[in-house]
PDB file of all heavy atoms in Angstrom:
ATOM      1  N   LEU A 869     170.726-191.458 112.031  1.00  0.00           N
ATOM      2  CA  LEU A 869     169.471-191.759 112.647  1.00  0.00           C
ATOM      3  C   LEU A 869     169.649-192.947 113.597  1.00  0.00           C
ATOM      4  O   LEU A 869     169.701-194.092 113.175  1.00  0.00           O
ATOM      5  CB  LEU A 869     168.427-192.138 111.568  1.00  0.00           C
ATOM      6  CG  LEU A 869     167.976-190.991 110.671  1.00  0.00           C
ATOM      7  CD1 LEU A 869     167.120-191.581 109.503  1.00  0.00           C
ATOM      8  CD2 LEU A 869     167.223-189.946 111.382  1.00  0.00           C
ATOM      9  N   PRO A 870     169.784-192.689 114.889  1.00  0.00           N
ATOM     10  CA  PRO A 870     169.971-193.803 115.811  1.00  0.00           C
ATOM     11  C   PRO A 870     168.701-194.607 115.921  1.00  0.00           C
ATOM     12  O   PRO A 870     167.593-194.089 115.752  1.00  0.00           O
ATOM     13  CB  PRO A 870     170.220-193.120 117.154  1.00  0.00           C
ATOM     14  CG  PRO A 870     170.344-191.660 116.884  1.00  0.00           C
ATOM     15  CD  PRO A 870     169.709-191.394 115.610  1.00  0.00           C
ATOM     16  N   ARG A 871     168.827-195.923 116.129  1.00  0.00           N
ATOM     17  CA  ARG A 871     167.678-196.784 116.178  1.00  0.00           C
ATOM     18  C   ARG A 871     166.662-196.305 117.241  1.00  0.00           C
ATOM     19  O   ARG A 871     165.479-196.302 117.020  1.00  0.00           O
ATOM     20  CB  ARG A 871     168.148-198.230 116.578  1.00  0.00           C
ATOM     21  CG  ARG A 871     166.992-199.139 116.672  1.00  0.00           C
ATOM     22  CD  ARG A 871     167.340-200.599 116.808  1.00  0.00           C
ATOM     23  NE  ARG A 871     166.101-201.294 116.837  1.00  0.00           N
ATOM     24  CZ  ARG A 871     165.906-202.543 116.377  1.00  0.00           C
ATOM     25  NH1 ARG A 871     166.893-203.172 115.789  1.00  0.00           N
ATOM     26  NH2 ARG A 871     164.712-203.152 116.428  1.00  0.00           N
ATOM     27  N   LEU A 874     164.541-193.616 115.907  1.00  0.00           N
ATOM     28  CA  LEU A 874     163.531-194.128 114.975  1.00  0.00           C
ATOM     29  C   LEU A 874     162.411-194.775 115.754  1.00  0.00           C
ATOM     30  O   LEU A 874     161.207-194.599 115.421  1.00  0.00           O
ATOM     31  CB  LEU A 874     164.170-195.167 114.014  1.00  0.00           C
ATOM     32  CG  LEU A 874     165.063-194.599 112.953  1.00  0.00           C
ATOM     33  CD1 LEU A 874     165.593-195.710 112.116  1.00  0.00           C
ATOM     34  CD2 LEU A 874     164.355-193.589 112.064  1.00  0.00           C
ATOM     35  N   PRO A 884     154.769-197.555 111.396  1.00  0.00           N
ATOM     36  CA  PRO A 884     155.564-198.743 111.678  1.00  0.00           C
ATOM     37  C   PRO A 884     157.051-198.455 111.537  1.00  0.00           C
ATOM     38  O   PRO A 884     157.446-197.770 110.599  1.00  0.00           O
ATOM     39  CB  PRO A 884     155.111-199.778 110.659  1.00  0.00           C
ATOM     40  CG  PRO A 884     153.797-199.276 110.160  1.00  0.00           C
ATOM     41  CD  PRO A 884     153.773-197.779 110.305  1.00  0.00           C
ATOM     42  N   LEU A 885     157.817-199.081 112.428  1.00  0.00           N
ATOM     43  CA  LEU A 885     159.256-198.908 112.384  1.00  0.00           C
ATOM     44  C   LEU A 885     159.844-199.348 111.014  1.00  0.00           C
ATOM     45  O   LEU A 885     160.741-198.758 110.489  1.00  0.00           O
ATOM     46  CB  LEU A 885     159.871-199.660 113.547  1.00  0.00           C
ATOM     47  CG  LEU A 885     161.335-199.405 113.942  1.00  0.00           C
ATOM     48  CD1 LEU A 885     161.521-197.909 114.145  1.00  0.00           C
ATOM     49  CD2 LEU A 885     161.717-200.178 115.209  1.00  0.00           C
ATOM     50  N   SER A 886     159.280-200.446 110.540  1.00  0.00           N
ATOM     51  CA  SER A 886     159.836-200.997 109.286  1.00  0.00           C
ATOM     52  C   SER A 886     159.606-199.971 108.145  1.00  0.00           C
ATOM     53  O   SER A 886     160.372-199.916 107.203  1.00  0.00           O
ATOM     54  CB  SER A 886     159.144-202.335 108.957  1.00  0.00           C
ATOM     55  OG  SER A 886     157.773-202.189 108.789  1.00  0.00           O
ATOM     56  N   TYR A 887     158.532-199.166 108.229  1.00  0.00           N
ATOM     57  CA  TYR A 887     158.233-198.230 107.186  1.00  0.00           C
ATOM     58  C   TYR A 887     159.274-197.075 107.274  1.00  0.00           C
ATOM     59  O   TYR A 887     159.782-196.621 106.226  1.00  0.00           O
ATOM     60  CB  TYR A 887     156.843-197.671 107.403  1.00  0.00           C
ATOM     61  CG  TYR A 887     156.298-196.799 106.301  1.00  0.00           C
ATOM     62  CD1 TYR A 887     156.097-197.280 105.009  1.00  0.00           C
ATOM     63  CD2 TYR A 887     156.100-195.434 106.521  1.00  0.00           C
ATOM     64  CE1 TYR A 887     155.604-196.538 104.002  1.00  0.00           C
ATOM     65  CE2 TYR A 887     155.612-194.672 105.498  1.00  0.00           C
ATOM     66  CZ  TYR A 887     155.379-195.207 104.227  1.00  0.00           C
ATOM     67  OH  TYR A 887     154.865-194.360 103.241  1.00  0.00           O
ATOM     68  N   TYR A 889     162.259-197.334 108.429  1.00  0.00           N
ATOM     69  CA  TYR A 889     163.501-197.940 107.966  1.00  0.00           C
ATOM     70  C   TYR A 889     163.571-198.002 106.495  1.00  0.00           C
ATOM     71  O   TYR A 889     164.553-197.728 105.826  1.00  0.00           O
ATOM     72  CB  TYR A 889     163.629-199.329 108.610  1.00  0.00           C
ATOM     73  CG  TYR A 889     164.934-200.040 108.257  1.00  0.00           C
ATOM     74  CD1 TYR A 889     166.128-199.555 108.698  1.00  0.00           C
ATOM     75  CD2 TYR A 889     164.901-201.190 107.497  1.00  0.00           C
ATOM     76  CE1 TYR A 889     167.315-200.153 108.420  1.00  0.00           C
ATOM     77  CE2 TYR A 889     166.094-201.805 107.145  1.00  0.00           C
ATOM     78  CZ  TYR A 889     167.259-201.323 107.596  1.00  0.00           C
ATOM     79  OH  TYR A 889     168.448-201.953 107.290  1.00  0.00           O
ATOM     80  N   SER A 890     162.415-198.402 105.893  1.00  0.00           N
ATOM     81  CA  SER A 890     162.362-198.463 104.435  1.00  0.00           C
ATOM     82  C   SER A 890     162.621-197.106 103.825  1.00  0.00           C
ATOM     83  O   SER A 890     163.404-196.957 102.895  1.00  0.00           O
ATOM     84  CB  SER A 890     160.962-198.944 104.083  1.00  0.00           C
ATOM     85  OG  SER A 890     160.801-199.099 102.686  1.00  0.00           O
ATOM     86  N   THR A 893     166.342-196.002 104.274  1.00  0.00           N
ATOM     87  CA  THR A 893     167.335-196.662 103.372  1.00  0.00           C
ATOM     88  C   THR A 893     167.079-196.266 101.925  1.00  0.00           C
ATOM     89  O   THR A 893     167.926-196.488 101.091  1.00  0.00           O
ATOM     90  CB  THR A 893     167.252-198.173 103.484  1.00  0.00           C
ATOM     91  OG1 THR A 893     165.930-198.602 103.163  1.00  0.00           O
ATOM     92  CG2 THR A 893     167.648-198.680 104.865  1.00  0.00           C
ATOM     93  N   PHE A 894     165.919-195.704 101.634  1.00  0.00           N
ATOM     94  CA  PHE A 894     165.579-195.314 100.253  1.00  0.00           C
ATOM     95  C   PHE A 894     166.327-193.989  99.898  1.00  0.00           C
ATOM     96  O   PHE A 894     166.914-193.927  98.822  1.00  0.00           O
ATOM     97  CB  PHE A 894     164.104-195.132 100.134  1.00  0.00           C
ATOM     98  CG  PHE A 894     163.639-194.842  98.717  1.00  0.00           C
ATOM     99  CD1 PHE A 894     163.449-195.919  97.832  1.00  0.00           C
ATOM    100  CD2 PHE A 894     163.493-193.558  98.250  1.00  0.00           C
ATOM    101  CE1 PHE A 894     163.068-195.623  96.511  1.00  0.00           C
ATOM    102  CE2 PHE A 894     163.100-193.318  96.941  1.00  0.00           C
ATOM    103  CZ  PHE A 894     162.848-194.367  96.080  1.00  0.00           C
ATOM    104  N   TYR A 895     166.337-193.069 100.809  1.00  0.00           N
ATOM    105  CA  TYR A 895     166.925-191.749 100.460  1.00  0.00           C
ATOM    106  C   TYR A 895     168.360-191.705 100.953  1.00  0.00           C
ATOM    107  O   TYR A 895     168.710-192.070 102.078  1.00  0.00           O
ATOM    108  CB  TYR A 895     166.110-190.657 101.162  1.00  0.00           C
ATOM    109  CG  TYR A 895     164.732-190.518 100.631  1.00  0.00           C
ATOM    110  CD1 TYR A 895     163.632-190.931 101.370  1.00  0.00           C
ATOM    111  CD2 TYR A 895     164.508-190.067  99.357  1.00  0.00           C
ATOM    112  CE1 TYR A 895     162.338-190.804 100.880  1.00  0.00           C
ATOM    113  CE2 TYR A 895     163.198-189.947  98.804  1.00  0.00           C
ATOM    114  CZ  TYR A 895     162.175-190.307  99.584  1.00  0.00           C
ATOM    115  OH  TYR A 895     160.891-190.207  99.071  1.00  0.00           O
ATOM    116  N   ARG A 896     169.257-191.204 100.077  1.00  0.00           N
ATOM    117  CA  ARG A 896     170.649-191.073 100.363  1.00  0.00           C
ATOM    118  C   ARG A 896     170.921-190.087 101.562  1.00  0.00           C
ATOM    119  O   ARG A 896     171.926-190.152 102.168  1.00  0.00           O
ATOM    120  CB  ARG A 896     171.379-190.534  99.136  1.00  0.00           C
ATOM    121  CG  ARG A 896     171.763-191.615  98.165  1.00  0.00           C
ATOM    122  CD  ARG A 896     172.969-192.353  98.590  1.00  0.00           C
ATOM    123  NE  ARG A 896     173.036-193.618  97.903  1.00  0.00           N
ATOM    124  CZ  ARG A 896     173.443-193.766  96.655  1.00  0.00           C
ATOM    125  NH1 ARG A 896     173.839-192.718  95.938  1.00  0.00           N
ATOM    126  NH2 ARG A 896     173.477-194.989  96.081  1.00  0.00           N
ATOM    127  N   LEU A 900     172.298-194.351 108.643  1.00  0.00           N
ATOM    128  CA  LEU A 900     171.986-195.272 109.745  1.00  0.00           C
ATOM    129  C   LEU A 900     173.217-195.544 110.581  1.00  0.00           C
ATOM    130  O   LEU A 900     173.137-196.211 111.560  1.00  0.00           O
ATOM    131  CB  LEU A 900     171.305-196.499 109.211  1.00  0.00           C
ATOM    132  CG  LEU A 900     169.886-196.273 108.639  1.00  0.00           C
ATOM    133  CD1 LEU A 900     169.425-197.449 107.832  1.00  0.00           C
ATOM    134  CD2 LEU A 900     168.901-195.990 109.786  1.00  0.00           C
ATOM    135  N   ASN A 951     173.686-188.084  94.212  1.00  0.00           N
ATOM    136  CA  ASN A 951     173.261-188.224  92.820  1.00  0.00           C
ATOM    137  C   ASN A 951     173.136-186.902  92.087  1.00  0.00           C
ATOM    138  O   ASN A 951     173.550-186.786  90.957  1.00  0.00           O
ATOM    139  CB  ASN A 951     171.968-188.988  92.746  1.00  0.00           C
ATOM    140  CG  ASN A 951     172.177-190.413  93.161  1.00  0.00           C
ATOM    141  OD1 ASN A 951     173.273-190.934  92.949  1.00  0.00           O
ATOM    142  ND2 ASN A 951     171.198-191.019  93.806  1.00  0.00           N
TER     143      ASN A 951
ATOM    144  N   GLN B1208     152.383-207.724 105.494  1.00  0.00           N
ATOM    145  CA  GLN B1208     151.691-206.476 105.996  1.00  0.00           C
ATOM    146  C   GLN B1208     150.169-206.546 105.810  1.00  0.00           C
ATOM    147  O   GLN B1208     149.506-205.930 106.605  1.00  0.00           O
ATOM    148  CB  GLN B1208     152.251-205.267 105.231  1.00  0.00           C
ATOM    149  CG  GLN B1208     153.734-205.065 105.514  1.00  0.00           C
ATOM    150  CD  GLN B1208     154.281-203.790 104.895  1.00  0.00           C
ATOM    151  OE1 GLN B1208     153.623-203.136 104.147  1.00  0.00           O
ATOM    152  NE2 GLN B1208     155.535-203.452 105.251  1.00  0.00           N
ATOM    153  N   GLY B1214     154.282-207.294 109.708  1.00  0.00           N
ATOM    154  CA  GLY B1214     155.096-206.159 109.293  1.00  0.00           C
ATOM    155  C   GLY B1214     156.580-206.464 109.528  1.00  0.00           C
ATOM    156  O   GLY B1214     157.324-205.575 109.857  1.00  0.00           O
ATOM    157  N   ALA B1215     156.999-207.749 109.430  1.00  0.00           N
ATOM    158  CA  ALA B1215     158.377-208.053 109.652  1.00  0.00           C
ATOM    159  C   ALA B1215     159.257-207.609 108.483  1.00  0.00           C
ATOM    160  O   ALA B1215     160.409-207.380 108.508  1.00  0.00           O
ATOM    161  CB  ALA B1215     158.573-209.531 109.905  1.00  0.00           C
ATOM    162  N   LEU B1216     158.586-207.500 107.291  1.00  0.00           N
ATOM    163  CA  LEU B1216     159.339-207.193 106.028  1.00  0.00           C
ATOM    164  C   LEU B1216     158.924-205.894 105.449  1.00  0.00           C
ATOM    165  O   LEU B1216     157.755-205.465 105.507  1.00  0.00           O
ATOM    166  CB  LEU B1216     159.083-208.316 104.979  1.00  0.00           C
ATOM    167  CG  LEU B1216     159.607-209.719 105.298  1.00  0.00           C
ATOM    168  CD1 LEU B1216     159.130-210.671 104.175  1.00  0.00           C
ATOM    169  CD2 LEU B1216     161.094-209.736 105.411  1.00  0.00           C
ATOM    170  N   ASP B1217     159.878-205.234 104.840  1.00  0.00           N
ATOM    171  CA  ASP B1217     159.531-204.066 103.959  1.00  0.00           C
ATOM    172  C   ASP B1217     160.695-203.943 102.960  1.00  0.00           C
ATOM    173  O   ASP B1217     161.763-204.639 103.115  1.00  0.00           O
ATOM    174  CB  ASP B1217     159.345-202.832 104.788  1.00  0.00           C
ATOM    175  CG  ASP B1217     158.434-201.811 104.105  1.00  0.00           C
ATOM    176  OD1 ASP B1217     158.393-201.809 102.876  1.00  0.00           O
ATOM    177  OD2 ASP B1217     157.783-201.077 104.798  1.00  0.00           O
ATOM    178  N   TYR B1218     160.571-203.036 102.031  1.00  0.00           N
ATOM    179  CA  TYR B1218     161.655-202.813 101.086  1.00  0.00           C
ATOM    180  C   TYR B1218     162.833-202.183 101.819  1.00  0.00           C
ATOM    181  O   TYR B1218     162.650-201.384 102.752  1.00  0.00           O
ATOM    182  CB  TYR B1218     161.270-201.839 100.004  1.00  0.00           C
ATOM    183  CG  TYR B1218     160.498-202.441  98.870  1.00  0.00           C
ATOM    184  CD1 TYR B1218     159.266-202.002  98.486  1.00  0.00           C
ATOM    185  CD2 TYR B1218     161.098-203.458  98.104  1.00  0.00           C
ATOM    186  CE1 TYR B1218     158.525-202.551  97.452  1.00  0.00           C
ATOM    187  CE2 TYR B1218     160.380-203.983  97.032  1.00  0.00           C
ATOM    188  CZ  TYR B1218     159.154-203.537  96.726  1.00  0.00           C
ATOM    189  OH  TYR B1218     158.472-204.109  95.640  1.00  0.00           O
ATOM    190  N   TYR B1219     164.045-202.516 101.445  1.00  0.00           N
ATOM    191  CA  TYR B1219     165.176-201.872 101.938  1.00  0.00           C
ATOM    192  C   TYR B1219     165.974-201.353 100.788  1.00  0.00           C
ATOM    193  O   TYR B1219     166.118-202.004  99.775  1.00  0.00           O
ATOM    194  CB  TYR B1219     166.031-202.964 102.688  1.00  0.00           C
ATOM    195  CG  TYR B1219     167.496-202.554 102.878  1.00  0.00           C
ATOM    196  CD1 TYR B1219     167.865-201.771 103.983  1.00  0.00           C
ATOM    197  CD2 TYR B1219     168.455-202.981 101.941  1.00  0.00           C
ATOM    198  CE1 TYR B1219     169.174-201.427 104.065  1.00  0.00           C
ATOM    199  CE2 TYR B1219     169.788-202.595 102.084  1.00  0.00           C
ATOM    200  CZ  TYR B1219     170.142-201.808 103.204  1.00  0.00           C
ATOM    201  OH  TYR B1219     171.464-201.432 103.359  1.00  0.00           O
ATOM    202  N   GLY B1220     166.497-200.118 100.931  1.00  0.00           N
ATOM    203  CA  GLY B1220     167.281-199.543  99.838  1.00  0.00           C
ATOM    204  C   GLY B1220     166.423-199.165  98.597  1.00  0.00           C
ATOM    205  O   GLY B1220     165.217-199.224  98.640  1.00  0.00           O
ATOM    206  N   ARG B1221     167.107-198.874  97.519  1.00  0.00           N
ATOM    207  CA  ARG B1221     166.344-198.563  96.313  1.00  0.00           C
ATOM    208  C   ARG B1221     167.140-198.909  95.031  1.00  0.00           C
ATOM    209  O   ARG B1221     168.309-199.251  95.102  1.00  0.00           O
ATOM    210  CB  ARG B1221     165.991-197.084  96.270  1.00  0.00           C
ATOM    211  CG  ARG B1221     167.159-196.227  95.997  1.00  0.00           C
ATOM    212  CD  ARG B1221     166.628-194.815  95.619  1.00  0.00           C
ATOM    213  NE  ARG B1221     167.681-193.831  95.859  1.00  0.00           N
ATOM    214  CZ  ARG B1221     167.441-192.518  95.685  1.00  0.00           C
ATOM    215  NH1 ARG B1221     166.287-192.061  95.338  1.00  0.00           N
ATOM    216  NH2 ARG B1221     168.448-191.700  95.915  1.00  0.00           N
ATOM    217  N   GLY B1222     166.409-198.828  93.966  1.00  0.00           N
ATOM    218  CA  GLY B1222     167.020-199.148  92.673  1.00  0.00           C
ATOM    219  C   GLY B1222     167.453-200.599  92.588  1.00  0.00           C
ATOM    220  O   GLY B1222     166.774-201.499  93.129  1.00  0.00           O
ATOM    221  N   LYS B1224     169.694-202.074  94.174  1.00  0.00           N
ATOM    222  CA  LYS B1224     170.014-202.646  95.486  1.00  0.00           C
ATOM    223  C   LYS B1224     168.796-202.939  96.314  1.00  0.00           C
ATOM    224  O   LYS B1224     168.918-203.462  97.408  1.00  0.00           O
ATOM    225  CB  LYS B1224     170.957-201.754  96.244  1.00  0.00           C
ATOM    226  CG  LYS B1224     172.321-201.749  95.635  1.00  0.00           C
ATOM    227  CD  LYS B1224     173.300-201.015  96.614  1.00  0.00           C
ATOM    228  CE  LYS B1224     174.718-201.019  96.009  1.00  0.00           C
ATOM    229  NZ  LYS B1224     175.272-199.655  96.127  1.00  0.00           N
ATOM    230  N   ALA B1228     163.503-206.685 103.202  1.00  0.00           N
ATOM    231  CA  ALA B1228     164.378-207.006 104.299  1.00  0.00           C
ATOM    232  C   ALA B1228     163.615-206.754 105.625  1.00  0.00           C
ATOM    233  O   ALA B1228     162.605-206.078 105.661  1.00  0.00           O
ATOM    234  CB  ALA B1228     165.570-206.144 104.282  1.00  0.00           C
ATOM    235  N   THR B1229     164.172-207.307 106.675  1.00  0.00           N
ATOM    236  CA  THR B1229     163.671-207.062 108.034  1.00  0.00           C
ATOM    237  C   THR B1229     164.257-205.767 108.533  1.00  0.00           C
ATOM    238  O   THR B1229     165.199-205.203 107.913  1.00  0.00           O
ATOM    239  CB  THR B1229     164.033-208.173 108.993  1.00  0.00           C
ATOM    240  OG1 THR B1229     165.448-208.236 109.047  1.00  0.00           O
ATOM    241  CG2 THR B1229     163.489-209.487 108.561  1.00  0.00           C
ATOM    242  N   LEU B1230     163.776-205.284 109.630  1.00  0.00           N
ATOM    243  CA  LEU B1230     164.287-204.085 110.282  1.00  0.00           C
ATOM    244  C   LEU B1230     165.790-204.273 110.537  1.00  0.00           C
ATOM    245  O   LEU B1230     166.196-205.222 111.131  1.00  0.00           O
ATOM    246  CB  LEU B1230     163.514-203.924 111.571  1.00  0.00           C
ATOM    247  CG  LEU B1230     163.562-202.556 112.143  1.00  0.00           C
ATOM    248  CD1 LEU B1230     162.992-201.485 111.208  1.00  0.00           C
ATOM    249  CD2 LEU B1230     162.731-202.519 113.434  1.00  0.00           C
ATOM    250  N   PHE B1231     166.561-203.293 110.107  1.00  0.00           N
ATOM    251  CA  PHE B1231     168.024-203.285 110.287  1.00  0.00           C
ATOM    252  C   PHE B1231     168.688-204.554 109.677  1.00  0.00           C
ATOM    253  O   PHE B1231     169.683-205.036 110.179  1.00  0.00           O
ATOM    254  CB  PHE B1231     168.412-203.095 111.718  1.00  0.00           C
ATOM    255  CG  PHE B1231     168.001-201.750 112.218  1.00  0.00           C
ATOM    256  CD1 PHE B1231     166.809-201.578 112.895  1.00  0.00           C
ATOM    257  CD2 PHE B1231     168.803-200.613 111.944  1.00  0.00           C
ATOM    258  CE1 PHE B1231     166.399-200.313 113.298  1.00  0.00           C
ATOM    259  CE2 PHE B1231     168.391-199.356 112.378  1.00  0.00           C
ATOM    260  CZ  PHE B1231     167.207-199.154 113.048  1.00  0.00           C
ATOM    261  N   LYS B1232     167.991-205.138 108.686  1.00  0.00           N
ATOM    262  CA  LYS B1232     168.484-206.313 107.977  1.00  0.00           C
ATOM    263  C   LYS B1232     168.874-207.469 108.933  1.00  0.00           C
ATOM    264  O   LYS B1232     169.808-208.250 108.668  1.00  0.00           O
ATOM    265  CB  LYS B1232     169.679-205.951 107.088  1.00  0.00           C
ATOM    266  CG  LYS B1232     169.289-205.191 105.878  1.00  0.00           C
ATOM    267  CD  LYS B1232     170.283-205.328 104.761  1.00  0.00           C
ATOM    268  CE  LYS B1232     171.313-204.257 104.807  1.00  0.00           C
ATOM    269  NZ  LYS B1232     172.253-204.318 103.689  1.00  0.00           N
ATOM    270  N   LYS B1452     143.019-203.151 111.494  1.00  0.00           N
ATOM    271  CA  LYS B1452     143.973-202.373 110.680  1.00  0.00           C
ATOM    272  C   LYS B1452     143.287-202.003 109.316  1.00  0.00           C
ATOM    273  O   LYS B1452     143.461-200.868 108.875  1.00  0.00           O
ATOM    274  CB  LYS B1452     145.198-203.236 110.461  1.00  0.00           C
ATOM    275  CG  LYS B1452     146.374-202.473 109.945  1.00  0.00           C
ATOM    276  CD  LYS B1452     147.210-201.968 111.081  1.00  0.00           C
ATOM    277  CE  LYS B1452     148.414-201.175 110.529  1.00  0.00           C
ATOM    278  NZ  LYS B1452     149.008-200.317 111.476  1.00  0.00           N
TER     279      LYS B1452
END
Side-chain angles (χ1 to χ4, degrees):
Chain A
L869 294 171
R871 179 172 182 146
L874 288 179
L885 195 52
S886 61
Y887 189 67
Y889 181 66
S890 183
T893 58
F894 184 85
Y895 294 108
R896 277 280 161 78
L900 290 164
N951 293 329
Chain B
Q1208 297 184 352
L1216 293 176
D1217 207 329
Y1218 278 123
Y1219 160 86
R1221 72 166 156 185
K1224 287 192 181 132
T1229 59
L1230 198 58
F1231 296 95
K1232 286 205 270 185
K1452 196 93 181 160

